């Protein structure tokens, strides 16, 4: 009895609601003017009249292209992202079959009512309250309202709030139904029927994550909403009625699967077709053909996530990280990603598919995805000089969206980028980092030909550090040169050409470690893990952990005459309405002066030719544009690098140890190629494509003062102690070398001589060899002007004991006749007792008489020589 009473009361209640709705729909001016007499009408009036319709969630796409000038025309889809697979389309892009099917099957009086079909709502309520099957009575407009409310819940960031919102929008209560009706009436007052129908077909769910008629047509039948056939359109509209029951992507379903011809969907489809015939939307012929047509879904799963991007997946992943992290796209990370997934954006990236293909192909050829006992990684990053556009980003692993065990051929980690952008903690760049010491060297006024102490030694002493104070490493730091290259007094230029460790440490000794770090940072260099860059002496030769992309950006800055541009990966972004949206821009800053950059380019170009460490990469690159480069090899050849650039493109290639036990690449081979040489195969493969496509210009000529060291006087240190001489010469910028002892009259242990000699000019940093006196030498005494006998006596007497030889030299000065005119070696020259000396004795010759006036001077007649004799 209680059930019957409840049904009766419910019927009464719904009858009242129906009366209200008739009033509101037929005479809205009365209902909204407050003229209605009942409290019920007043309650209805207090409900919100208008529902704002926000942008629908749509699928977003990431594209690459082969032509930067025509990114849309040459676009290639890398991946799509969505929470709801939807493509919002205009009314004229939807088949009329689909529109008619929706009206006939869901709301036959849609074109006549004012938002609520009173008859349908009342009949549904009567049937439900009387204890019959539950029957929906919602108009298309009401269903649209309900879906809009649900969409508003879906975009809420807080899960609990979203759940409560969804419950409020869907719970079967009279209050909810009343609000829905009022909003539907308000919606009809603002929008045309055609717009409401279009919105309904675009917003409706079609099972799973498929939303909207366009995505449903693509997913279920591999077609478009415009090209749907009559039976296809009816099947899709059928799904809307009950997505879980009628969706067509579960062929194994017992109630709605392939075996029974998708019986559940077919039943609803055929009902809709019958309604379309009843309401004259189709002909009998169309109806018969559609009823007879089998349901044959062609499930076409849309690309979603970066795993669909193949070898470009890591670049794609980096793009998504930018979309999540850059404030341009939203206030916080969750909002940014939600905006992207729901936004219907087309993102056109900077990726150059030709360079990317070259990078992928070469890595696949030379670097294996796995190697026994070694988690090997191969990386390529290319950046466009002057713009910061990332043109290529590849690695030897297969992309995974979840973390994989070390050593697997799959990884979710992007080896090219920082940890915050989905990358690793970085890798030691080895000697490629030396270019920042080179930059600081030139910034501080030193020249490329200037020399430094480049000896291999165990104690380099104290380095200057303006940030942390002087750093004395004592015997804790004593790097060698990997291949034994280098001498004791190398120039900055040769140290760069041959990558001489001790040469760069010698340069750093004359610089400020903090200054070197700041110069690296000026080129955009930073630690991949987000920490601070190290600035100790070992960092000079590349012990910081840097992401390959960071180094590519820095080398692009060097090639760009010292102006570094931050990396960007998005060239343009188009909204669902076709409007271009704001995107992050590259920021370009002058890292070093163009003059310093030209010096760096000059030195780094020498590495790619002749005996330079990057000559192999230079030789293999074709076409050969002007290039600069720097190699890098870490301790025990664990990681090897080739970094370089033309004036258009910079590329970094590395073969690295990702994790765990390492291999010495000099003793490891990949398919017959020594691992340490792989960089010189991959880098040319990529840069050959870059040179062919982008070309290259000559780098600016370096100035003479950047290349050539200034000549300065060598201090005269004779007579000083060797220690004082060393201090004096080093303070003047020279490299002191002890040349051992020599015989000298100077006190033993003091400097007897230098080479070059004191007072002569030499370049700053040049080697000055000092020889100390052994205290046994004598100085050749003064004998010039003495007669031969006295000179011999002086020279032969103690302490000299010289052996004396004589030569004669004619003189017209009678006073010099028989006298010593010169001595060899000269007076004051240091010598040993008993050494040989030669005295030069003058021999007087009378001058010839002057010719008589008018007489020839004897140059031509042959008779002026007193019978041929000269006087």
């Amino acid at each position: 009895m209680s059930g019957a009473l409840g049904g009766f009361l419910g019927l009464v209640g719904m009858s009242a609601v129906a009366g209200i709705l008739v009033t509101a729909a037929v005479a809205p001016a009365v209902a909204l003017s407050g003229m209605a007499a009942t409290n019920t009408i007043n309650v209805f009036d207090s409900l919100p009249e208008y529902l704002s319709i926000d942008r629908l969630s749509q699928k977003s796409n990431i594209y690459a292209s082969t032509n930067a000038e025509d990114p849309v025309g040459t676009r290639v889809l890398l991946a799509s992202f969505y929470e709801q697979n939807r493509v919002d389309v205009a009314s004229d892009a939807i088949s009329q079959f689909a529109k008619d099917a929706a009206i006939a099957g869901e709301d036959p009086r849609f074109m006549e009512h004012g938002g609520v079909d009173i008859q349908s709502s009342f009949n549904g309520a009567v049937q439900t309250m009387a204890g019959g099957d539950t029957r929906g009575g919602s108009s298309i407009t009401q269903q649209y309202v309900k879906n809009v409310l649900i969409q508003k819940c879906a975009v809420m960031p807080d899960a609990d709030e979203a759940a409560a919102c969804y419950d409020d929008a869907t719970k079967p209560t009279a209050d909810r139904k009343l609000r829905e009706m009022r909003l539907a009436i308000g919606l009809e007052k603002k929008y045309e029927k055609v717009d409401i129908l279009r919105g309904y077909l675009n917003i409706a769910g079609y099972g799973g994550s498929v939303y909207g008629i366009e995505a449903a047509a693509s997913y279920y039948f591999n077609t478009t909403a415009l090209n749907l056939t009559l039976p296809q359109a009816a099947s899709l509209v059928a799904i809307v009625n009950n997505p879980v029951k009628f969706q067509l992507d579960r062929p194994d379903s017992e109630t709605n699967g392939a075996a029974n011809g998708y019986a559940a969907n077919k039943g609803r489809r055929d009902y809709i077709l019958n309604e379309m015939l009843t309401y004259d939307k189709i002909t009998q012929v169309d109806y018969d053909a559609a009823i007879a047509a089998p349901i044959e879904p062609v499930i076409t799963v849309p690309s979603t996530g970066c795993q669909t991007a193949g070898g470009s997946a890591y670049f794609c992943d980096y793009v998504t990280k930018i979309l999540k992290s850059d404030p341009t796209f939203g206030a916080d990370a969750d909002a940014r990603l939600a905006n992207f997934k729901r936004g219907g954006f087309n993102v056109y990236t900077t990726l150059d598919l030709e360079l990317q293909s070259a990078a992928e192909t070469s890595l696949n050829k030379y670097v294996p995805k796995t190697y026994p006992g070694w988690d090997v990684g191969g990386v390529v990053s290319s950046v466009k000089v002057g713009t910061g556009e990332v043109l290529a980003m590849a690695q030897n692993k297969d992309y995974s969206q979840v973390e994989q065990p070390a050593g697997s051929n799959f990884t979710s980690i992007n080896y090219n980028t920082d940890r915050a952008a989905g990358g690793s903690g970085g890798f030691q760049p080895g000697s490629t980092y030396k270019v920042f010491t080179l930059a600081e060297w030139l910034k501080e006024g030193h020249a490329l030909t200037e020399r430094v102490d480049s000896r291999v030694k165990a104690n380099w002493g104290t380095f200057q550090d303006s940030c942390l104070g002087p750093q004395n490493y004592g015997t804790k730091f004593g790097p060698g040169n990997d291949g034994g290259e280098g001498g004791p007094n190398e120039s900055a230029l040769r140290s760069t050409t041959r990558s001489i460790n001790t040469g760069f440490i010698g340069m750093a000794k004359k610089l400020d470690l903090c200054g070197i770090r700041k110069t690296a940072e000026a080129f955009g260099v930073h630690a991949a893990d987000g920490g601070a860059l190290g600035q100790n002496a070992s960092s000079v030769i590349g012990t910081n952990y840097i992401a390959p992309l960071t180094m590519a950006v820095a080398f692009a800055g060097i090639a760009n005459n010292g102006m570094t541009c931050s990396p960007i990966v998005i060239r343009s972004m188009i909204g669902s309405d076709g409007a271009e949206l704001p995107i992050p821009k590259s920021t370009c800053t002058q890292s070093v002066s163009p003059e310093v950059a030209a010096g760096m380019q000059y030195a780094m170009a020498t590495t790619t030719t002749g005996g330079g460490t990057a000559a192999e990469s230079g030789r293999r690159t074709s076409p050969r544009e002007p290039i600069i480069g720097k190699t890098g090899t870490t301790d025990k050849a664990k990681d090897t690098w080739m970094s370089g650039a033309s004036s258009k493109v910079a590329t970094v290639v590395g073969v690295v140890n990702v994790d765990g036990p390492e291999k010495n690449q000099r003793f490891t081979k990949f398919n017959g190629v020594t691992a340490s040489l792989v960089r010189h195969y991959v880098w040319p493969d990529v840069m050959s494509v870059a040179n062919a496509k982008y070309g290259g210009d000559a780098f600016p000529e370096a100035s003479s003062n950047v290349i050539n060291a200034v000549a300065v006087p060598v201090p005269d240190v004779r007579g000083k102690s060797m220690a004082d001489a060393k201090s004096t010469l080093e303070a003047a910028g020279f490299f002191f070398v002890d040349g051992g002892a020599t015989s000298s009259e100077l006190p033993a242990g003091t400097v007897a001589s230098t080479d070059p000699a004191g007072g002569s000019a030499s370049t700053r940093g040049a080697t000055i060899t000092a020889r100390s006196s052994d205290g046994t030498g004598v100085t050749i005494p003064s004998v010039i002007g003495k007669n031969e006998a006295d000179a011999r006596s002086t020279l032969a007497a103690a302490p000299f004991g010289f052996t004396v030889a004589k030569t004669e030299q004619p003189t017209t000065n009678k006073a010099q006749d028989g006298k010593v005119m010169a001595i060899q070696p000269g007076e004051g020259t240091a010598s040993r007792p008993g050494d040989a000396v030669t005295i030069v004795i003058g021999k007087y010759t009378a001058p010839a008489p002057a010719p008589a006036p008018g007489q020839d001077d004897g140059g031509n007649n042959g008779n002026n020589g007193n019978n041929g004799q000269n006087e």
Side-chain angles (χ1 to χ4, degrees):
M1 182 64 181
S2 60
L5 178 60
F8 174 74
L9 294 175
L11 177 59
V12 172
M14 284 306 298
S15 298
V17 170
I20 297 168
L21 293 173
V22 170
T23 304
V26 177
V30 174
L32 298 176
S33 66
M35 294 174 64
T38 67
N39 288 335
T40 311
I41 291 291
N42 290 334
V43 169
F44 186 81
D45 254 354
S46 67
L47 293 172
E49 177 185 5
Y50 174 63
L51 175 68
S52 64
I53 301 173
D54 298 331
R55 186 182 66 194
L56 296 178
S57 293
Q58 296 187 63
K59 180 174 67 174
S60 291
N61 304 307
I62 294 178
Y63 295 99
S65 69
T66 56
N67 185 354
E69 303 302 320
D70 182 24
V72 176
T74 60
R75 70 182 184 180
V76 174
L77 180 66
L78 295 181
S80 297
F81 295 83
Y82 55 82
E83 289 183 350
Q84 296 178 358
N85 177 19
R86 177 189 285 108
V87 178
D88 201 0
V89 292
S91 181
D92 58 7
I94 302 173
S95 164
Q96 190 62 42
F97 288 139
K99 299 173 188 175
D100 291 341
I103 293 173
E106 295 294 326
D107 188 2
R109 285 174 289 278
F110 172 70
M111 301 304 294
E112 288 79 40
H113 64 63
V116 178
D117 186 345
I118 303 301
Q119 179 180 335
S120 180
S121 296
F122 184 78
N123 290 341
V126 169
Q127 180 174 320
T128 300
M129 298 302 180
D133 292 337
T134 300
R135 176 183 173 186
S138 297
S139 68
I140 282 178
T141 312
Q142 287 174 259
Q143 293 182 53
Y144 184 34
V145 166
K146 180 179 179 180
N147 276 303
V148 170
L149 293 172
I150 291 173
Q151 287 297 306
K152 289 179 178 293
C153 302
V155 298
M156 289 182 172
D158 185 271
D160 293 335
E161 290 181 6
C165 175
Y166 180 83
D167 183 63
D168 185 56
T170 58
K171 61 185 178 182
T173 64
D175 287 345
R176 195 271 296 175
K177 199 70 174 178
L178 188 63
R179 182 174 70 248
E180 184 182 282
M181 291 175 176
R182 176 57 186 273
L183 290 171
I185 294 168
L187 205 63
E188 292 261 359
K189 292 177 181 179
K190 185 171 181 64
Y191 295 100
E192 299 292 333
K193 290 283 187 180
V194 66
D195 294 324
I196 294 173
L197 180 60
R198 182 195 73 84
Y200 167 74
L201 289 170
N202 275 319
I203 200 172
Y206 292 79
S209 60
V210 181
Y211 288 81
I213 190 72
E214 178 73 11
S218 175
Y219 177 68
Y220 287 112
F221 295 113
N222 194 27
T223 188
T224 65
L226 181 62
N227 293 317
L228 285 168
T229 65
L230 173 58
Q232 288 173 343
S235 274
L236 292 185
V237 172
I239 296 174
V240 175
N241 184 263
N242 190 329
V244 175
K245 181 178 180 180
F246 297 135
Q247 65 191 91
L248 297 173
D249 56 355
R250 296 177 298 175
D252 297 330
S253 170
E254 294 182 2
T255 58
N256 188 47
N260 61 17
Y262 299 92
N265 181 281
K266 186 176 187 305
R268 179 69 184 174
R269 180 200 75 170
D270 292 351
Y271 163 77
I272 292 172
L273 291 170
N274 186 69
E275 292 295 288
M276 293 177 75
L277 180 64
T278 299
Y279 288 100
D280 296 324
K281 300 297 184 183
I282 56 175
T283 66
Q284 184 69 48
V285 173
D286 291 335
Y287 170 78
D288 292 342
I291 287 290
I295 297 177
E296 297 175 328
V298 182
I299 302 300
T300 307
V301 180
S303 63
T304 176
C306 287
Q307 70 270 16
T308 65
S312 303
Y314 293 100
F315 174 83
C316 173
D317 185 80
Y318 182 51
V319 173
T320 66
K321 297 301 190 295
I322 297 299
L323 290 163
K324 286 182 65 176
S325 63
D326 196 288
T328 306
F329 302 114
D332 55 58
D334 290 338
R336 292 168 201 143
L337 187 60
N339 284 339
F340 176 64
K341 285 186 174 181
R342 299 165 184 160
F345 304 128
N346 284 329
V347 180
Y348 297 98
T349 68
T350 61
L351 190 70
D352 184 317
L353 290 172
E354 293 176 351
L355 258 68
Q356 180 68 16
S357 176
E360 292 174 27
T361 301
S362 193
L363 280 178
N364 287 335
K365 180 178 180 180
Y366 293 112
V367 184
K369 297 181 186 297
T370 62
Y371 192 88
W374 182 24
D375 192 2
V376 60
V379 294
V380 175
S381 279
S382 292
V383 173
K384 192 171 184 181
V385 173
T387 69
E389 294 178 350
V390 179
L391 300 177
M393 180 179 287
Q395 65 190 58
N396 65 318
K397 301 289 188 178
D398 296 315
Y399 179 75
S400 171
Q401 290 183 315
V402 296
E403 190 66 34
Q404 299 289 334
S408 167
N409 63 299
F410 286 94
T411 183
S412 61
I413 299 172
N414 187 344
Y415 300 152
N416 282 283
T417 61
D418 295 335
R419 180 171 290 163
S424 69
F427 305 96
Q428 290 186 349
S431 294
T432 60
Y433 196 87
K434 291 174 181 174
V435 296
F436 307 119
T437 297
L438 177 64
E440 183 70 6
W441 176 260
L442 297 176
K443 276 175 61 179
E444 290 299 309
H446 298 281
L448 291 175
T449 57
E450 184 176 332
R451 296 176 178 274
V452 296
D453 180 0
S454 55
R455 293 171 294 173
V456 175
K457 50 188 176 182
N459 187 342
W460 279 88
T462 299
F463 290 76
Q464 297 305 308
D465 190 322
S466 62
C467 296
L468 304 177
Q471 304 293 310
N472 190 333
Y473 295 95
T475 58
K476 298 177 182 178
F477 178 66
N481 292 313
D482 210 28
E485 66 274 7
N489 189 218
E490 294 289 357
S491 68
L493 180 59
R494 181 168 166 77
S495 294
T496 303
T497 306
R498 296 295 301 153
S499 195
I500 301 170
N501 287 341
T502 52
F504 276 90
I505 298 302
M507 292 161 66
K509 278 282 288 184
K510 292 176 171 288
L511 300 172
D512 173 17
L513 293 179
C514 184
I516 295 172
R517 173 182 62 79
K518 289 180 178 179
T519 294
E521 290 172 339
F523 280 101
V525 176
H526 54 274
D529 64 1
L533 280 180
Q535 61 189 56
N536 53 27
S538 63
S539 69
V540 170
I541 52 178
T543 57
N544 277 302
Y545 285 81
I546 313 294
L549 176 60
T550 298
M551 292 300 289
V553 168
F555 272 68
I558 297 169
N560 193 34
N561 301 324
M563 180 172 286
T564 306
C565 299
S566 60
I568 54 171
V569 292
I570 300 173
R571 184 173 285 118
S572 65
M573 188 165 169
I574 309 300
S576 58
D577 59 357
E580 190 159 346
L581 301 173
I583 57 172
K585 302 294 185 182
S586 178
T587 301
C588 298
T589 55
Q590 196 71 46
S591 307
V592 294
S593 70
E595 184 180 39
V596 167
M600 296 176 72
Q601 294 161 357
Y602 179 93
M604 292 167 65
T606 67
T607 71
T608 68
T609 59
T613 56
E616 190 70 11
S617 280
R619 183 180 67 82
R620 292 177 181 275
T621 303
S622 177
R624 176 66 187 267
E625 301 291 350
I627 56 174
I628 61 175
K630 187 70 192 73
T631 55
T633 303
T634 61
D635 284 347
K636 300 178 182 178
K638 180 181 72 171
D639 304 318
T640 55
W641 300 93
M642 172 58 201
S643 301
S646 68
S647 65
K648 304 297 184 183
V649 177
T651 295
V652 167
V653 170
V655 177
V656 300
N657 183 74
V658 176
D659 190 36
E662 63 213 41
K663 296 281 187 182
N664 188 317
Q665 293 187 30
R666 292 191 180 91
F667 310 117
T668 306
K669 288 194 173 183
F670 299 146
N671 299 322
V673 178
T674 302
S676 63
L677 298 180
V678 162
R679 54 186 163 163
H680 296 309
Y681 288 80
V682 178
W683 194 89
D685 281 351
V686 177
M687 285 302 293
S688 292
V689 174
N691 287 354
K693 184 167 186 176
Y694 295 98
D697 301 319
F699 291 103
E701 185 175 346
S703 63
S704 176
N705 64 307
V706 168
I707 298 174
N708 299 311
V710 177
V712 294
V714 176
D716 186 352
V717 293
R718 287 177 300 171
K720 291 179 176 286
S721 70
M722 291 292 279
D724 288 345
K726 182 174 186 295
S727 298
T728 300
L729 290 169
E730 289 182 344
F734 294 102
F735 173 57
F736 176 88
V737 172
D738 186 341
T742 187
S743 179
S744 171
E745 83 290 358
L746 295 174
T750 63
V751 176
S753 64
T754 61
D755 183 19
S760 63
S762 188
T763 57
R764 188 168 55 181
T767 299
I768 306 297
T769 301
R771 293 180 173 83
S772 60
S773 171
D774 62 5
T776 64
V778 292
T779 301
I780 294 175
S782 176
V783 293
I784 293 175
K786 292 185 177 185
N787 61 40
E788 179 180 350
D790 288 344
R792 285 181 177 276
S793 176
T794 299
L795 293 170
F800 308 115
F802 293 125
T803 301
V804 181
K806 181 188 84 166
T807 63
E808 291 184 344
Q809 179 175 317
T811 178
T812 58
N813 184 349
K814 203 159 192 148
Q816 291 181 326
D817 186 44
K819 303 291 180 66
V820 177
M821 296 177 63
I823 186 170
Q824 298 172 345
E827 293 179 351
T829 301
S831 189
R832 290 186 176 85
D835 283 353
V837 297
T838 300
I839 56 176
V840 180
I841 303 298
K843 183 173 179 60
Y844 174 73
T845 300
Q855 185 178 349
D856 190 271
D857 66 2
N860 296 315
N861 61 16
N863 296 318
N864 60 329
N866 189 24
N867 297 322
Q869 294 183 357
N870 294 314
E871 296 184 349

